[in-house]
Structure formats: C-alpha cells, structure tokens
Amino acid sequence: DMDGDKFVNVDLSLEAGIDRAARLDLVGSRLADVIISPDLPQAAKVFSDRNRGRMFAIFRHPVDRAVSMYYYLSTATWDPMYNPNLKEMSLQEYAKSSSVENNWLTRFLVGKKSGALGPEHMILAKKIVRNKILVGLYTDIDTSLSRFDRYFGWTDNAREKAGELRTRQEMDEQADKCRAAFVAAGGDRHN
C-alpha cells in the first residue's frame, strides 16, 4: 500500500518471476490492474481463456527510440545494458554499430531475441499489433493516456475503489492533472 494505492510485488521481468506469477494465479486473483513485462510471449502464461488480458502500448518512431537509447545507455550506469563505450561514439557511429537495436519491436512481439528475422516475423508482428494492442503514440502521449484511461476505466475504477462520491468531472480533472504531471516530468530527457 503506497499513498492509498496497492501494489503486488511480482517480478515479471524474468521467466522465473513470470512462472511464479502464473503459479500464484496473479491474474485470477484480480490483485493487479496492470501487468508489465519485457517478455511478451512468456508473460502470456499468466493469462488464460477465463482470465484474458488486454494489451496497450505506446509506440514511438524507431529513429527517435534509437537516439534516446544512445543517450540513455551511455549514461545509465545502474542499467545492466549500460555501455560506457558509447560515450566515445558519436550518434552517427552508434547508428552504424552493432550496439544499435535491431528491429526491437518485432523481436519483442514475436519472441525472437536474436537471429535473422524474415517476412513471416514482420507479418506476425503486424497481426499482433492490429488484433491485440490498443495503440497509443509517444508523440501524442497525453491523448494516448486519456484513451487508455477511457478504454480500461481506470478513473472510474479508482472512484469506485475509493468509495468516494466525487463527480465524473472531478475525477476527470484529477486524471487530467495526473497525466499532465506525468507528461511534464517526462521519461525521456533527450528530446
């Protein structure tokens, strides 16, 4: 419990944590409203026909993402992917190096971390995006967050859980302030 919000401490960044979440029936317990994992195919194990997930993602232009990753990975000493050699490279050198990501989104969606990608992987990734993901755009993050909120009913759920008799307008104003603070703080300081 943190500031009135509840969190479940399950590590879905590793296969062992995903397996643990599946054994504990994390989704069936209804303790988590949102599940985040960098391994989409493995994370699918925590869902079932009875407890289905709905996926959302914020998409960013791949060149913008690569530029951001260059700056991040050259300074993020706390991250296991930190690469001090990037400090010695120009952005152009990074773009031509083996350090730059190779079709990250396609690999993420189809679960192929390495090796060659073929047209069948692109076709599958496009099908997953089209049929399974509520898409938001990084370039219009405020609208995207509002869209997710409306679709998932997060503001309505928060109001119901709080047991407060606030009006929809009050909840919308609070949600707008929260989104504005998130957008103002920004997750990417390199644009």
Side-chain angles (χ1 to χ4, degrees), residues 63-131:
V63 173
D64 293 341
R65 180 177 160 77
V67 169
S68 179
M69 288 302 289
Y70 164 75
Y71 287 110
Y72 174 78
L73 293 176
S74 67
T75 59
T77 56
W78 58 90
D79 192 309
M81 292 177 54
Y82 167 68
N83 185 346
N85 297 328
L86 295 182
K87 289 181 181 181
E88 308 302 320
M89 278 187 208
S90 69
L91 181 57
Q92 189 173 23
E93 290 168 330
Y94 169 74
K96 293 178 182 178
S97 76
S98 62
S99 296
V100 74
E101 292 177 327
N102 178 332
N103 292 302
W104 178 86
L105 183 59
T106 300
R107 291 180 183 285
F108 173 77
L109 291 171
V110 303
K112 186 170 174 72
K113 294 178 182 175
S114 61
L117 291 172
E120 68 277 11
H121 297 106
M122 179 200 58
I123 291 167
L124 177 57
K126 287 170 67 174
K127 182 178 179 183
I128 292 168
V129 170
R130 184 174 37 258
N131 296 327

Side-chain angles (χ1 to χ4, degrees), residues 174-191:
Q174 182 179 358
D176 288 344
K177 286 179 187 176
C178 181
R179 277 192 299 276
F182 174 79
V183 171
D188 182 3
R189 312 242 188 257
H190 305 292
N191 283 343

Side-chain angles (χ1 to χ4, degrees), residues 52-70:
R52 299 176 63 165
R54 296 179 292 175
M55 190 169 18
F56 66 97
I58 295 178
F59 286 82
R60 185 176 194 184
H61 192 285
V63 173
D64 293 341
R65 180 177 160 77
V67 169
S68 179
M69 288 302 289
Y70 164 75

Side-chain angles (χ1 to χ4, degrees), residues 4-6 30-34 153-164 171:
D5 293 321
K6 295 181 179 179
R30 303 275 191 246
L31 290 173
D33 292 323
V34 176
W154 291 329
T155 298
D156 293 337
N157 290 343
R159 179 179 181 212
E160 184 179 305
K161 285 180 182 176
E164 297 178 22
M171 291 299 291

